[in-house]
Amino acid sequence: MDLQQQYELEKLFKTKLHQAMRFYLETCTHCGLCVDSCHVYNSMPELRYTAVGRSEVVRKIFIKYFKMQGKIAPWLGETMEMDEFVLDKFYEAAFSCTGCRRCMVHCPFGIDTQQIMSIAKLLLVGADKEPKILSMLSDMSINKGEQVEESRAQYAEAIKNIEPEVEAIWPTPPGKKTIPLEVEHADVLYVALSGKHSIISAAAIFNAADINWTLSSFEAVNFGAFLGDPQRTKKIGNRIIAEATRLKVKTVAIVECGTAFRIMKQQFGKLPFEVVTFVELIAKYHQEGKIKLNKVMTEKVTYHDPCQIARNAGVYEAPRYILNQLSDDFVDMIPNREENWCCGGGGGLVAAGDFEFRMKSSKVKADQMKKTGATVVATACENCHSQLHDVCGYYNTNQHVEFISHLAAQGLAK
Amino acid sequence: MADYTAVKTFDYKGLPCPMPIVKMSQEISRIAVGEVGEVLSTDPGSIADFPAWAKTTGHQVLDIVQEPGLIKIYVKRVK
Ligand code: SF4
Ligand code: SF4
């Protein structure tokens, strides 16, 4: 690596050095309390998979380039020079971390390893060493925003084609569209994913509750956040913000996708609309008497708290409330809520990660699910759903994974 | 009449996000440069995803044909 590139990466590193980040980088006492918190380390006990172990290489670069000690006495052994070896270490650390922040809960200083890993991810982008599939997916989302008008008519046709599947669950109220598009002043803009499964159950629930809603033209997922590129993250999120602002909606409801929800809720500052995750709306509609739910579930059900909805955004009770309307046999995983084990697929690992690693690093998750005795694992995140589905198969847990919205739609009653 | 013939079908029906695009990126190499593949999808989002993917990766979407319950996307490998 030449000096120019080192300089460019140092500049990028500096963009991340806000007050909290300096605290995270300067405060670690190597007490080791975070070691057992990480599902990766618990499943594959190697020091490089601990929170403190992952952060070390970032810290050494920080000391080398941004601390006096690194400038005057780098031979003390606490520093490393930015080079290809360091970038390889960044990759290994950042893309084996799901950004679940379970370690942060156990660190006495609240050190956020996911934030430290965001430095490694940004520098990998700067060095053109990021997982190419994630930058491609991010750029695809950005391009989609730029050419959305070109596909509008065909998208409307595709949406029309799935309406019978919504009506099979719940009849559309008279005078209403089954899946409304482009409705100005709607109470809710629902931002789904590309798949029809992410639209059908939600549409049935909105229609059962007789809500004035409209479907977004975009997918909620923010690949820029998985990639760790703040500029792409912003551009992807801004597509939805522009649409919601243009349509003057009151609420943006994000499909069951943890990262999409947390990023929109927490990283775009004050917005002219409220941001909720769809499961919160289902619970609210039930509590307000707008929908009724029958106890249709006959199997024992448990719930996986998606890290980005639960621990990192505080939504714990709404999904449990819904499951308790649908079942008399709900059991929590141990541990749960803030302490729940990550599914092992976050941080872009489902799209970019190596399958064997994803499975091996989720052994602790498979054990936790099996211990519940439930045959249904409900969750509220597409990424968790995909990962847990794979984990159930890999470890033969004899469980199936279901979305809360799908279960709720099945339980809709007159 | 379309002036191309698809040499291979890529069945991406019912896959979770973002697998249709991830798979397309990996599997486009299964057809030769200049050849056309037929993608089968059930995702309404594919309508805009595939043209945006093509713009990003330098390939080409020749046509999108919709039937109830099925979307067919004709993709030409350009490089
Ligand atoms: S954020 Fe999660 S995956 Fe990353 S080090 Fe902490 S516990 Fe492990
Ligand atoms: S718990 Fe916090 S202070 Fe202790 S080693 Fe882990 S990150 Fe460092």
Side-chain angles (χ1 to χ4, degrees), chain A residues 136 143-144 147 154 158 194 382, chain B residues 17 25 45 49 55-56 66:
Chain A
M136 189 281 290
N143 283 329
K144 190 167 162 176
Q147 57 192 42
Q154 277 195 315
S194 287
E382 177 106 350
Chain B
C17 163
S25 302
D49 285 354
K55 185 178 174 196
T56 307
Q66 298 201 54

Side-chain angles (χ1 to χ4, degrees), chain A residues 270-330:
Chain A
K270 197 169 158 35
L271 294 167
F273 46 80
E274 168 198 37
V275 178
V276 296
T277 171
F278 183 55
V279 290
E280 291 176 281
L281 283 189
I282 308 175
K284 180 170 169 259
Y285 294 158
H286 188 271
Q287 282 157 353
E288 291 173 350
K290 291 195 168 106
I291 56 169
K292 291 199 178 89
L293 296 171
N294 273 346
K295 301 229 171 191
V296 285
M297 297 191 70
T298 51
E299 295 172 79
K300 187 174 204 161
V301 57
T302 187
Y303 176 65
H304 165 77
D305 284 287
C307 302
Q308 308 304 345
I309 287 175
R311 178 164 46 246
N312 297 326
V315 178
Y316 297 113
E317 303 313 323
R320 291 175 168 80
Y321 173 85
I322 298 162
L323 289 172
N324 278 311
Q325 309 309 314
L326 297 166
S327 168
D328 278 328
D329 203 3
F330 168 74

Side-chain angles (χ1 to χ4, degrees), chain B residues 31-54:
Chain B
I31 59 174
V33 171
E35 285 183 338
V36 175
E38 177 190 56
V39 175
L40 306 182
S41 170
T42 46
D43 296 356
S46 294
I47 300 281
D49 285 354
F50 277 79
W53 166 82

Side-chain angles (χ1 to χ4, degrees), chain A residues 254-282:
Chain A
I254 303 287
V255 65
E256 289 159 294
C257 173
T259 298
F261 168 60
R262 188 173 78 82
I263 297 296
M264 187 56 75
K265 180 131 181 132
Q266 296 179 353
Q267 294 202 359
F268 283 89
K270 197 169 158 35
L271 294 167
F273 46 80
E274 168 198 37
V275 178
V276 296
T277 171
F278 183 55
V279 290
E280 291 176 281
L281 283 189
I282 308 175

